[in-house]
Amino acid sequence: MSKILAINAGSSSLKWRLIEMPTEKVIAKGSAERIGQKLGKIKVVANGEKTERESPVPTHHDAVEMLLKMLTESKIINDFSEIAGVGHRVVAGGEIFHQSTLIDEEVLTQIESLAEYAPLHNPAEAEGIRAFMAALPGVPEVAVFDTSFHQTLPAVNYLYSIPYDYYKQFGARKYGAHGTSYRYVSQRAAELVGQPLSDLKMIVAHLGNGVSLDAIKDGQSYNTSMGFTPLAGVTMGTRSGDIDASLVAFLEEKLELSVEQMTDILNTKSGLLGLSGISSDMRDLLAKETTDERAKIAVDIFIDRIVQYIGAYTAQLNGLDTLVFTAGIGENEAPIRSRVCQSLGYLGVELDENLNKAARGTEQLISTPQSKVKVLVVPTDEELMIARDVVELGKIK
């Protein structure tokens, strides 16, 4: 048995899971949140017990040191030598990384060089990687890229209709995101329906605070809704999704905003939050949509944009036989799944509403036997995919 640390670092957070392989048993999990703020929050769950405390966490390097200290102090492990490998979720792999990769100094430098493609994430992830490499010398470290799953997109789907030289000079193209989630969910969905993934025309809807959809053809990503950055695509919790570029320039002029300020608005003050003026949390909006017109329109737009993409991707796939919901909203909000599927009746989608209501964070087929499209809920597990890649690439037994 080997113990693998799966690390998911965000711009101001570091989530982790310690997984025993090959049994794939979660030994412990936790997080450091509000990194860089005055007071951070540390969470650990082990042996059925949850521990939380507040403490300053100035940097991701500090978060790593705290994590490793907690693992030994709480006796989750007795010694660092028990950790056989560490896997890191990295948002942007650009066109350099087409698959998960063992990390050395050259790879780490390349990850840092891609910071402009994910300025909130790659630098933080690189900092965490350096901290682990220093604390655990000789332990295999593996980078698992959000974008690598989408390297199979054909040029017709990843190129923008702008001067081609911008792509060649600056890498201006669609990269997508949520790739690790899509890899796990698509493989698991194929297992659940009992067919090879390569035989399925599948759309996966990753509906969380960040939202994207992916069309999977011949077992590979064929098109995805997020673009050069995770800002593109459907309406999200605080992100606008697709928007006319000229409107961005118009608003910058009217509001006398810099590019950076406008980009921040589109990323953090738009989407469900901007439309409703209430919350970016779908639970809050569903609770108020019958009494608050803006909450209702926010929910309606959220569903409409998802339906638009499913329709477009069904046309590109020349049909649809499997639709999968995952992530926070996709796994837990039966009303959203129901309303999306009601708009897909023309495709022969038919939900079993009793199964749909019962499916909350669990694997479940929620369509009727008569439905022409199998509809499933499959909770995502990015950390497990990371651990599997560490075992494979690190040649860990």
Side-chain angles (χ1 to χ4, degrees), residues 52-67:
E52 292 188 23
R53 64 183 174 90
E54 292 187 327
S55 172
V57 188
T59 68
H60 282 74
H61 192 283
D62 295 306
V64 171
E65 290 186 346
M66 288 180 182
L67 161 59

Side-chain angles (χ1 to χ4, degrees), residues 212-226:
S212 68
L213 289 93
D214 199 64
I216 296 173
K217 180 180 181 181
D218 300 326
Q220 299 180 324
S221 181
Y222 184 73
N223 205 352
T224 194
S225 60
M226 285 181 168

Side-chain angles (χ1 to χ4, degrees), residues 24 27 34 79 89 117 128 177 196 199 241 267 278 283 299 305 313 331 351 366:
E24 300 186 347
I27 301 169
R34 300 200 294 260
D79 188 83
R89 174 211 178 208
Y117 296 106
D199 290 349
N267 272 292
I278 298 170
R283 292 168 295 187
V299 174
R305 302 304 189 264
Y313 287 170
E331 295 169 21
L351 279 195
I366 60 174

Side-chain angles (χ1 to χ4, degrees), residues 187-328:
Q187 291 174 11
R188 184 59 185 149
E191 292 172 2
L192 292 171
V193 301
Q195 292 180 253
L197 181 58
S198 58
D199 290 349
L200 297 173
K201 296 175 180 177
M202 180 185 292
I203 295 174
V204 180
H206 182 110
L207 312 182
N209 190 261
V211 182
S212 68
L213 289 93
D214 199 64
I216 296 173
K217 180 180 181 181
D218 300 326
Q220 299 180 324
S221 181
Y222 184 73
N223 205 352
T224 194
S225 60
M226 285 181 168
F228 178 70
T229 74
L231 179 57
V234 299
T235 301
M236 307 178 218
T238 62
R239 297 176 193 145
S240 66
D242 294 338
I243 187 171
D244 186 335
S246 293
L247 177 58
V248 176
F250 172 84
L251 291 173
E252 285 175 357
E253 182 177 350
K254 290 293 183 182
L255 298 169
E256 298 181 352
L257 298 174
S258 67
V259 173
E260 291 77 14
Q261 289 172 318
M262 191 68 228
T263 300
D264 180 66
I265 289 171
L266 294 175
N267 272 292
T268 66
K269 299 178 177 63
S270 299
L272 296 175
L273 176 63
L275 286 166
S276 71
I278 298 170
S279 175
S280 63
D281 193 312
M282 181 57 72
R283 292 168 295 187
D284 296 336
L285 301 184
L286 288 173
K288 297 192 176 201
E289 66 171 334
T290 57
T291 57
D292 189 292
E293 184 178 353
R294 284 178 61 183
K296 183 179 186 306
I297 193 63
V299 174
D300 287 346
I301 287 174
F302 181 83
I303 292 166
D304 176 79
R305 302 304 189 264
I306 292 167
V307 170
Q308 284 189 39
Y309 265 92
I310 291 174
Y313 287 170
T314 298
Q316 285 195 322
L317 294 173
N318 195 28
L320 178 67
D321 50 46
T322 311
L323 173 63
V324 191
F325 291 94
T326 192

Side-chain angles (χ1 to χ4, degrees), residues 120-179:
L120 296 180
H121 293 89
N122 271 42
E125 289 150 1
E127 182 183 355
I129 291 169
R130 285 197 182 279
F132 274 106
M133 291 175 74
L136 304 172
V139 173
E141 311 265 349
V142 172
V144 180
F145 298 93
D146 266 6
T147 54
S148 62
F149 184 70
H150 304 301
Q151 288 298 306
T152 55
L153 264 60
V156 70
N157 288 335
Y158 72 67
L159 284 176
Y160 292 113
S161 301
I162 57 178
Y164 188 76
D165 285 349
Y166 299 164
Y167 162 60
K168 298 302 292 183
Q169 292 177 31
F170 310 118
R173 53 158 287 179
K174 176 186 287 192
Y175 290 103
H178 293 146

